[in-house]
Amino acid sequence: MKFVIWGANLSGGFLRANVDQAQDAGIEYNEKLATLADHLGVDSILYPIRYVGNIGGTGSNTGQLDPLSIITAIATKTERIHLIAAVLPGFIHPATLAKIGATIDIISKGRFHINLVSGWFKAEQEMFGIEWIKHEERYRRSEEYLKVLKGLWTEDEFQFEGNFYNIQKGTLNPKPLQKPYPPIYQGGNSQESQIIAGTLSDYYFMNGAPLSELKEQIAAVQQYAANHQRYIKFAVAAFVIARPTEEEAQKEYEYILNNADQSAITHFKQRKETKGMWKNATTISDYVANNEGFRTGLIGSYEQVAQRLKELEAIGIEKVLVAFRHPTDELPTFFEHVVPKVNNDILLPNTK
């Protein structure tokens, strides 16, 4: 099992709750978090994209650092960790991303990945004069986007004619170090997102969910991939509360829920406009943690969390995107007490 963490380029934390949590979105904190993760052996760090607001919707809101820019800086401070930038197609042309991405891949010595986000935040896009198109059209645009991106990364004099993009003998040099191209992640629970993931992406990112729901999504995407003679990998989001005992973990979980930010949750429900994401969210708990992170069930003793991770691995999940209240404090503990119980062959680095 490999682990991905969130970058801290957006202020506000990852809980819609009035509790103490890491909210720093400055470059110094990001460098500290990334170098710690690199040292511990975290596989990847994902930097979300947002032009307005924050993730948790509560507390500090000091702005947003651009993921592509911050990845360039972090690449010079780290050695092993993969760097994933979330990208909104409406804001950046695929040719521009192809050029920037190839450059970052060279700077990072082959560690650049992307997470394509088709977009669900209508007000954010309309604020900047970007036309808001229907759900199905957003995914048709994403499909063309990935075809253009991959084409420019792998071909010379690339040709493409679509409804959204038109490329005439497009050239891009130098190309990325990674072959055939930097890995592509894609999320979304709708059928449209699953089809595109199966046909064009390398990893399908799922919101937090119990095993039964994850199995259904995995089976659907695997079938779409098989229809095109492709193989795809799977990752899931989870908010982690791992403590020495189950009682301690449950006590913290209840404390967070008891302090849920009802205003932020209501605001979030009102502004989301999407057909797939959060479709199974029903309780306050489902909305408190970002990307339905509590639903994955990584709450309990070190042994219980490790057991659930093994269960996720058994159904075909290769990576887990983990979030914590205090990542720089909890990551070392997680890698000391939980990860070895999942990956018995891991040799822990000296974290002192």
Side-chain angles (χ1 to χ4, degrees):
M1 177 71 74
K2 296 180 180 179
F3 297 95
V4 185
I5 66 166
W6 288 99
N9 57 313
L10 308 186
S11 62
F14 289 85
L15 290 169
R16 296 181 183 91
N18 297 307
V19 297
D20 180 38
Q21 61 179 312
Q23 297 182 338
D24 192 344
I27 186 63
E28 292 82 6
Y29 177 75
N30 272 282
E31 290 178 353
K32 177 182 178 181
L33 177 61
T35 53
L36 172 64
D38 192 45
H39 178 71
L40 289 169
V42 173
D43 178 80
S44 311
I45 184 166
L46 168 60
Y47 293 89
I49 180 68
R50 185 67 60 81
Y51 286 78
V52 181
N54 52 27
I55 288 283
T58 187
S60 172
N61 186 13
T62 56
Q64 315 82 19
L65 293 174
D66 171 65
L68 292 166
S69 302
I70 198 169
I71 276 180
T72 307
I74 296 300
T76 67
K77 303 289 184 179
T78 55
E79 296 179 355
R80 299 175 296 172
I81 195 167
H82 300 105
L83 307 167
I84 311 172
V87 177
L88 277 166
F91 284 84
I92 182 170
H93 193 279
T96 305
L97 178 62
K99 174 61 75 175
I100 294 173
T103 303
I104 297 174
D105 203 49
I106 292 168
I107 291 171
S108 66
K109 297 181 174 61
R111 292 184 286 131
F112 175 65
H113 298 184
I114 74 161
N115 177 34
L116 188 72
V117 182
S118 293
W120 57 266
F121 193 173
K122 180 180 180 182
E124 179 182 59
Q125 299 200 26
E126 291 185 334
M127 178 184 297
F128 294 102
I130 296 173
E131 181 185 4
W132 181 253
I133 57 179
K134 293 181 179 180
H135 175 90
E136 292 79 7
E137 288 297 301
R138 294 201 302 275
Y139 278 97
R140 290 189 185 100
R141 179 177 62 188
S142 291
E143 180 180 5
E144 290 190 14
Y145 197 96
L146 290 182
K147 288 179 178 178
V148 171
L149 185 64
K150 293 165 73 171
L152 291 172
W153 275 343
T154 59
E155 300 179 26
D156 295 319
E157 297 191 347
F158 175 67
Q159 295 280 130
F160 184 85
E161 293 186 11
N163 294 322
F164 297 92
Y165 306 106
N166 192 318
I167 310 296
Q168 299 298 321
K169 294 184 179 181
T171 61
L172 181 112
N173 285 297
K175 289 184 166 38
L177 294 182
Q178 297 177 87
K179 304 302 178 187
Y181 51 80
I184 296 168
Y185 293 72
Q186 186 191 324
N189 293 336
S190 67
Q191 184 180 35
E192 291 88 350
S193 67
Q194 292 178 347
I195 291 173
I196 295 175
T199 56
L200 291 168
S201 302
D202 302 293
Y203 284 89
Y204 179 58
F205 246 143
M206 297 175 284
N207 266 14
L211 294 176
S212 58
E213 290 181 21
L214 296 174
K215 287 180 181 179
E216 291 179 2
Q217 293 182 62
I218 289 171
V221 177
Q222 282 178 331
Q223 185 59 58
Y224 294 130
N227 292 343
H228 293 268
Q229 295 76 51
R230 299 187 72 247
Y231 172 78
I232 188 168
K233 300 177 182 180
F234 297 91
V236 66
F239 197 97
V240 180
I241 305 178
R243 298 293 180 266
T245 66
E246 179 182 7
E247 290 73 21
E248 290 174 87
Q250 286 297 324
K251 182 178 180 180
E252 178 164 345
Y253 174 60
E254 291 169 7
Y255 165 71
I256 293 170
L257 294 187
N258 288 338
N259 288 277
D261 189 330
Q262 299 286 353
S263 175
I265 292 171
T266 299
H267 182 60
F268 174 76
K269 289 180 179 179
Q270 291 173 344
R271 75 184 185 188
K272 72 182 182 66
E273 294 182 344
T274 178
K275 292 174 65 176
M277 302 296 279
W278 305 284
K279 66 180 181 180
N280 293 317
T282 57
T283 68
I284 289 296
S285 174
D286 297 342
Y287 285 101
V288 167
N290 187 57
N291 287 88
E292 301 175 79
F294 283 149
R295 299 186 77 228
T296 309
L298 298 189
I299 302 169
S301 67
Y302 299 141
E303 291 76 14
Q304 289 172 321
V305 172
Q307 179 58 37
R308 175 48 63 97
L309 287 166
K310 289 181 179 180
E311 293 170 356
L312 293 171
E313 189 171 42
I315 66 171
I317 292 173
E318 298 191 21
K319 295 186 179 183
V320 178
L321 171 59
V322 291
F324 304 90
R325 277 179 69 190
H326 297 285
T328 55
D329 294 332
E330 295 183 65
L331 262 178
T333 301
F334 182 74
F335 267 76
E336 179 180 359
H337 294 289
V338 177
V339 173
K341 293 178 172 61
V342 182
N343 301 335
N344 295 324
D345 58 339
I346 283 185
L347 178 61
L348 288 176
N350 183 358
T351 60
K352 294 182 179 181

